[in-house]
Each structure stands twice: as structure tokens, then as C-alpha cells.
Amino acid sequence: MSNVAAGSSWSQLFAAMKEVKASWPSRGWSWDNRLTCVSSSFATELEAKARLAAKLALPGEWTSSTIGKATPGVRALAERTGGLRAGQMILTSVNPGSTFAYGLWWPWGDGMTTSVRIGIEGVDSSNDVFQRLRDAFHVEL
């Protein structure tokens, strides 16, 4: 397997994703076809709880001021998804290599809502890993 999470198997990663969903303070998850990931939005007052839940699978954190020190894969993800603005983050699984789990933490301009998109980088979109991701978050196409 690729380096999704150092020393961790796909099964462990998706078990952690299920824990993220179970701990998530907002219950709505959907599929984002544009970025091939699951997505949820929540009110900013739930931010601390959401960040704690996300850390169960995505403990790495990259901001606009730290992205330059990230691995090439994380930097490429940032570029592919429009870059990082102030307040935005990319959350990653441990030791992201060519394949890794990520979360795009995007506060809305209204100051009241934040969206998180969780996906797997470095995997062909036809791979069953995306079905396993949808299953972990109980999301249908």
C-alpha cells in the first residue's frame, strides 16, 4: 500500500474516518463530485469540536504560512484546489507521501459557517477507496 498514513493500513484509516463521522458535531455529509470527496458544513461555534473530530484521522495541519514546508503532494493539492487563503487549512494524515488522506478546511466569507471536504489524494478516481470513503461517512452518490 502507498503511504496513506505511515505504518497504517487502509482499514485503520477508514476506521479512523468512521470515528470522525461519529464524533462530528454536524450530522450532514454529502459527496462533492468536483473534488471527489465527502463534504460537511457547520456553524463556527462548533469549530473546536469539529477540529477535534477531524484530528482523529487528520492530525497534520497546513496553513497559508506553513504550506511552503509541506511535502510536494500536499503543496500540489493546495494548488489544485485553489491555494490557501487566510483562515483556510489543509489537514492531512500522518506523514503524507504520494497518497494520503486530507481535509480542506474552508471558512465561508460570512464568518458563520465553515466547510470541510475530506478526500484521498494520489488515488485514481475509479479506485474503490472512494467507495470506502463514502461508506465511512454514509454518503451515497
mmCIF file of all heavy atoms in Angstrom, residues 110-129:
data_model
loop_
_atom_site.group_PDB
_atom_site.id
_atom_site.type_symbol
_atom_site.label_atom_id
_atom_site.label_comp_id
_atom_site.label_asym_id
_atom_site.label_seq_id
_atom_site.Cartn_x
_atom_site.Cartn_y
_atom_site.Cartn_z
ATOM 1 N N ASP A 110 -18.941 34.547 5.260
ATOM 2 C CA ASP A 110 -19.959 35.126 6.143
ATOM 3 C C ASP A 110 -19.547 35.115 7.612
ATOM 4 O O ASP A 110 -20.222 35.689 8.460
ATOM 5 C CB ASP A 110 -21.296 34.400 5.970
ATOM 6 C CG ASP A 110 -21.276 32.931 6.387
ATOM 7 O OD1 ASP A 110 -20.249 32.451 6.918
ATOM 8 O OD2 ASP A 110 -22.304 32.256 6.178
ATOM 9 N N GLY A 111 -18.419 34.429 7.950
ATOM 10 C CA GLY A 111 -17.968 34.365 9.330
ATOM 11 C C GLY A 111 -18.833 33.494 10.218
ATOM 12 O O GLY A 111 -18.633 33.441 11.423
ATOM 13 N N MET A 112 -19.806 32.797 9.620
ATOM 14 C CA MET A 112 -20.733 31.995 10.402
ATOM 15 C C MET A 112 -20.653 30.500 10.110
ATOM 16 O O MET A 112 -21.157 29.699 10.884
ATOM 17 C CB MET A 112 -22.165 32.480 10.157
ATOM 18 C CG MET A 112 -22.383 33.916 10.607
ATOM 19 S SD MET A 112 -23.951 34.639 10.085
ATOM 20 C CE MET A 112 -25.122 33.417 10.568
ATOM 21 N N THR A 113 -20.036 30.136 8.998
ATOM 22 C CA THR A 113 -20.040 28.755 8.538
ATOM 23 C C THR A 113 -18.655 28.349 8.051
ATOM 24 O O THR A 113 -17.923 29.168 7.503
ATOM 25 C CB THR A 113 -21.053 28.578 7.375
ATOM 26 O OG1 THR A 113 -22.323 29.107 7.782
ATOM 27 C CG2 THR A 113 -21.213 27.128 6.978
ATOM 28 N N THR A 114 -18.324 27.090 8.247
ATOM 29 C CA THR A 114 -17.087 26.508 7.723
ATOM 30 C C THR A 114 -17.449 25.199 7.032
ATOM 31 O O THR A 114 -18.328 24.472 7.499
ATOM 32 C CB THR A 114 -16.073 26.229 8.851
ATOM 33 O OG1 THR A 114 -15.729 27.466 9.478
ATOM 34 C CG2 THR A 114 -14.809 25.565 8.329
ATOM 35 N N SER A 115 -16.779 24.909 5.930
ATOM 36 C CA SER A 115 -16.939 23.631 5.228
ATOM 37 C C SER A 115 -15.662 22.829 5.366
ATOM 38 O O SER A 115 -14.566 23.382 5.389
ATOM 39 C CB SER A 115 -17.197 23.853 3.733
ATOM 40 O OG SER A 115 -18.452 24.421 3.523
ATOM 41 N N VAL A 116 -15.834 21.522 5.447
ATOM 42 C CA VAL A 116 -14.707 20.598 5.436
ATOM 43 C C VAL A 116 -14.975 19.580 4.342
ATOM 44 O O VAL A 116 -16.073 19.039 4.244
ATOM 45 C CB VAL A 116 -14.535 19.893 6.794
ATOM 46 C CG1 VAL A 116 -13.496 18.790 6.711
ATOM 47 C CG2 VAL A 116 -14.145 20.888 7.849
ATOM 48 N N ARG A 117 -13.955 19.368 3.521
ATOM 49 C CA ARG A 117 -14.019 18.342 2.486
ATOM 50 C C ARG A 117 -12.917 17.339 2.792
ATOM 51 O O ARG A 117 -11.767 17.723 2.943
ATOM 52 C CB ARG A 117 -13.825 18.972 1.111
ATOM 53 C CG ARG A 117 -15.042 19.749 0.683
ATOM 54 C CD ARG A 117 -14.748 20.641 -0.516
ATOM 55 N NE ARG A 117 -15.963 21.256 -1.009
ATOM 56 C CZ ARG A 117 -16.581 22.288 -0.441
ATOM 57 N NH1 ARG A 117 -16.097 22.828 0.639
ATOM 58 N NH2 ARG A 117 -17.685 22.785 -0.954
ATOM 59 N N ILE A 118 -13.281 16.071 2.884
ATOM 60 C CA ILE A 118 -12.313 15.024 3.210
ATOM 61 C C ILE A 118 -12.187 14.083 2.018
ATOM 62 O O ILE A 118 -13.192 13.587 1.501
ATOM 63 C CB ILE A 118 -12.736 14.254 4.478
ATOM 64 C CG1 ILE A 118 -12.742 15.205 5.682
ATOM 65 C CG2 ILE A 118 -11.817 13.054 4.716
ATOM 66 C CD1 ILE A 118 -13.219 14.587 6.976
ATOM 67 N N GLY A 119 -10.941 13.870 1.600
ATOM 68 C CA GLY A 119 -10.694 13.017 0.449
ATOM 69 C C GLY A 119 -9.393 12.257 0.570
ATOM 70 O O GLY A 119 -8.699 12.316 1.587
ATOM 71 N N ILE A 120 -9.060 11.564 -0.508
ATOM 72 C CA ILE A 120 -7.825 10.798 -0.602
ATOM 73 C C ILE A 120 -7.080 11.305 -1.829
ATOM 74 O O ILE A 120 -7.622 11.283 -2.940
ATOM 75 C CB ILE A 120 -8.080 9.280 -0.755
ATOM 76 C CG1 ILE A 120 -9.023 8.769 0.340
ATOM 77 C CG2 ILE A 120 -6.766 8.515 -0.790
ATOM 78 C CD1 ILE A 120 -8.463 8.778 1.732
ATOM 79 N N GLU A 121 -5.876 11.762 -1.650
ATOM 80 C CA GLU A 121 -5.046 12.293 -2.741
ATOM 81 C C GLU A 121 -4.111 11.202 -3.241
ATOM 82 O O GLU A 121 -3.616 10.386 -2.456
ATOM 83 C CB GLU A 121 -4.247 13.490 -2.236
ATOM 84 C CG GLU A 121 -3.425 14.172 -3.286
ATOM 85 C CD GLU A 121 -4.238 14.972 -4.306
ATOM 86 O OE1 GLU A 121 -5.484 15.012 -4.225
ATOM 87 O OE2 GLU A 121 -3.620 15.559 -5.185
ATOM 88 N N GLY A 122 -3.871 11.186 -4.548
ATOM 89 C CA GLY A 122 -2.916 10.253 -5.131
ATOM 90 C C GLY A 122 -3.505 8.915 -5.512
ATOM 91 O O GLY A 122 -2.767 7.961 -5.741
ATOM 92 N N VAL A 123 -4.826 8.824 -5.566
ATOM 93 C CA VAL A 123 -5.507 7.583 -5.927
ATOM 94 C C VAL A 123 -6.390 7.873 -7.133
ATOM 95 O O VAL A 123 -7.081 8.892 -7.171
ATOM 96 C CB VAL A 123 -6.377 7.069 -4.748
ATOM 97 C CG1 VAL A 123 -7.161 5.842 -5.143
ATOM 98 C CG2 VAL A 123 -5.511 6.786 -3.541
ATOM 99 N N ASP A 124 -6.384 6.978 -8.108
ATOM 100 C CA ASP A 124 -7.229 7.109 -9.284
ATOM 101 C C ASP A 124 -8.696 7.165 -8.863
ATOM 102 O O ASP A 124 -9.122 6.406 -7.988
ATOM 103 C CB ASP A 124 -6.990 5.917 -10.215
ATOM 104 C CG ASP A 124 -7.793 6.012 -11.480
ATOM 105 O OD1 ASP A 124 -8.969 5.569 -11.454
ATOM 106 O OD2 ASP A 124 -7.269 6.520 -12.484
ATOM 107 N N SER A 125 -9.459 8.041 -9.480
ATOM 108 C CA SER A 125 -10.850 8.248 -9.067
ATOM 109 C C SER A 125 -11.726 7.015 -9.263
ATOM 110 O O SER A 125 -12.806 6.938 -8.694
ATOM 111 C CB SER A 125 -11.456 9.447 -9.792
ATOM 112 O OG SER A 125 -11.492 9.201 -11.177
ATOM 113 N N SER A 126 -11.276 6.023 -10.048
ATOM 114 C CA SER A 126 -12.067 4.799 -10.215
ATOM 115 C C SER A 126 -11.775 3.788 -9.106
ATOM 116 O O SER A 126 -12.433 2.765 -9.012
ATOM 117 C CB SER A 126 -11.766 4.167 -11.578
ATOM 118 O OG SER A 126 -10.414 3.727 -11.630
ATOM 119 N N ASN A 127 -10.814 4.072 -8.255
ATOM 120 C CA ASN A 127 -10.414 3.163 -7.191
ATOM 121 C C ASN A 127 -11.547 2.987 -6.183
ATOM 122 O O ASN A 127 -12.275 3.933 -5.874
ATOM 123 C CB ASN A 127 -9.166 3.726 -6.494
ATOM 124 C CG ASN A 127 -8.482 2.726 -5.605
ATOM 125 O OD1 ASN A 127 -9.091 2.175 -4.697
ATOM 126 N ND2 ASN A 127 -7.220 2.488 -5.859
ATOM 127 N N ASP A 128 -11.687 1.780 -5.634
ATOM 128 C CA ASP A 128 -12.733 1.516 -4.651
ATOM 129 C C ASP A 128 -12.508 2.244 -3.333
ATOM 130 O O ASP A 128 -13.369 2.270 -2.475
ATOM 131 C CB ASP A 128 -12.898 0.025 -4.419
ATOM 132 C CG ASP A 128 -11.777 -0.597 -3.597
ATOM 133 O OD1 ASP A 128 -10.647 -0.063 -3.617
ATOM 134 O OD2 ASP A 128 -12.034 -1.620 -2.935
ATOM 135 N N VAL A 129 -11.353 2.866 -3.172
ATOM 136 C CA VAL A 129 -11.072 3.625 -1.955
ATOM 137 C C VAL A 129 -12.107 4.745 -1.775
ATOM 138 O O VAL A 129 -12.491 5.065 -0.643
ATOM 139 C CB VAL A 129 -9.629 4.174 -1.958
ATOM 140 C CG1 VAL A 129 -9.444 5.303 -2.937
ATOM 141 C CG2 VAL A 129 -9.214 4.624 -0.579
#
